[in-house]
Structure formats: structure tokens, C-alpha cells
Amino acid sequence: MSKFKKQTALCVTLITSLGILSACGGGGGSLAGPLTVSGQTSVSSTGTVNIDLSDESNGNVSSAGVGLAAYATGVDLTRGRVSANAGIQNGATVGAAETSGTGSYSARYQYTMIDDASRTSVFISGTQITSAERSITLNADFDAGTLSGTTSDLDVNGTISGTTLGGSAVVDYDFFAGPSGTIDTTLAGEVGSTGVIAVFTGNDGDTVLAGGVVGTRN
């Protein structure tokens, strides 16, 4: 059983109390492992990631003709840890691979995270927040195989190989009346002649984050 106190400010949902009975208290798992974990997973036909978490915060970003990227954070009670996961729904379309020249994409992105997580033998606590959806311009250099873009809270440093998008993204978060900090994430997705779609996930000792970015070629 868990109890929440939710506050909403500037399109941000703040969970100030994430008091959750740990795996030791009834889930049958172990608290010996790491507190945080993140990674990629599949996405259901309804647009949510295929993962079973307690106190799950779900979201997605999409663009018609390109696809949908979904993401979630929550608590894995069986292992006593906080988790962030994201994935791209089947059927994404970004067009043919480009191997030379440059191009730009108008995209939207959003992410959800749990910050300041801690764990005792009885409770896991932390602050769960979802960002506002924002716009970003992503610039591709197909000769160099790079994709980059920067906003006030997201710095994309992508690598392009055919239509495969890799690399990293740095999230510099600073929520009104909430936590602030920086977290490095792994970027994974697709980019081509008509669109771009990707997810970014990361974790450190007390933070997990998962998000998505989707856009069309300018």
C-alpha cells in the first residue's frame, strides 16, 4: 500500500510523499541491489510502456506520420527500487536514410522522473515529476553522422548510422518549488528523410528519468 500527497504547479505534478512498503515488507524480493534502474522496453498498442510498476507515471509524445514514444517511472516493489523505462511503439516511420548534407527537425519532447530517491528497510521515498511538453529543433549533419539540439533543459548529442539514432542526452532539470540537477541519459531511436523519433533513459544513485522526442523534417 502506498500513500501520495500531490501538488501541481506550472504543469508539473509533484509527489512529495512516495512512502511505499519495500520488498522486505511483503513483496518477497531483496533490498541488496541498486536503488535505481533505467532502460528501454516495448510499447503497447494503447501507447504505454509494457512494464508493471507501482505508483506508475506514464506519458508519451507523438507526431502524425512518424510515431509514438512512451515513457514511465515508478517503483518495482518486488526488487525494492525505483525504475524508469521508455520505448518506441511499433510502426514508427522516419523515411529513408540520408548519408550526406544537413537537415533540421521540429520536434516535441517530454520526460518523467523520480528524484531524491532513498530506501530504508520499510519505505522507498522520492519526488516524482513530469515535465511540461516542450519544443526543440534538432540539427542533423549526415556527413558527420551527428544530431544535436539544445534547450533550457535538454542537450541532445546524437549519432546517426543509416536510420539508427544513438548517442546521449543531458537533462538539466530545475522544477519550480521542486528538485534541480543534471542527469546523463542514453539516446536511442530512428532518424531519416521525413522524421525523427527517440527515447532517452538514465539513472544515477538517487534519480531515474525516462522521456521521448518526436518530430518531422523541416
Side-chain angles (χ1 to χ4, degrees):
M1 181 179 295
S2 60
K3 296 181 180 180
F4 287 81
K5 182 187 291 183
K6 294 187 178 181
Q7 298 177 348
T8 302
L10 299 181
C11 299
V12 173
T13 300
L14 179 64
I15 299 176
T16 57
S17 178
L18 193 66
I20 297 177
L21 290 175
S22 72
C24 281
S30 171
L31 297 182
L35 172 60
T36 66
V37 65
S38 63
Q40 297 178 51
T41 189
S42 59
V43 175
S44 72
S45 60
T46 60
T48 58
V49 294
N50 288 317
I51 191 165
D52 185 17
L53 299 173
S54 177
D55 302 309
E56 194 170 310
S57 175
N58 280 282
N60 64 65
V61 287
S62 64
S63 178
V66 180
L68 178 146
Y71 40 87
T73 57
V75 178
D76 182 348
L77 289 177
T78 63
R79 295 174 175 83
R81 63 191 187 185
V82 293
S83 178
N85 299 87
I88 297 171
Q89 192 176 52
N90 289 338
T93 304
V94 297
E98 299 231 22
T99 58
S100 63
T102 61
S104 67
Y105 301 82
S106 294
R108 304 288 293 177
Y109 71 93
Q110 192 175 30
Y111 53 88
T112 183
M113 63 184 299
I114 296 175
D115 192 42
D116 296 328
S118 64
R119 179 175 63 190
T120 69
S121 61
V122 179
F123 293 103
I124 292 175
S125 63
T127 302
Q128 190 173 51
I129 308 168
T130 298
S131 75
E133 186 176 310
R134 299 184 176 96
S135 61
I136 185 171
T137 299
L138 297 173
N139 297 299
D141 184 333
F142 297 108
D143 293 299
T146 62
L147 183 76
S148 61
T150 301
T151 69
S152 61
D153 64 339
L154 183 65
D155 185 13
V156 173
N157 300 286
T159 59
I160 300 171
S161 177
T163 58
T164 300
L165 177 62
S168 63
V170 179
V171 180
D172 185 9
Y173 57 95
D174 187 2
F175 291 97
F176 176 76
S180 61
T182 301
I183 185 167
D184 296 325
T185 69
T186 299
L187 184 72
E190 302 175 36
V191 60
S193 60
T194 60
V196 60
I197 185 168
V199 294
F200 48 99
T201 58
N203 62 289
D204 58 25
D206 63 358
T207 305
V208 298
L209 183 145
V213 56
V214 183
T216 55
R217 181 76 174 267
N218 293 323

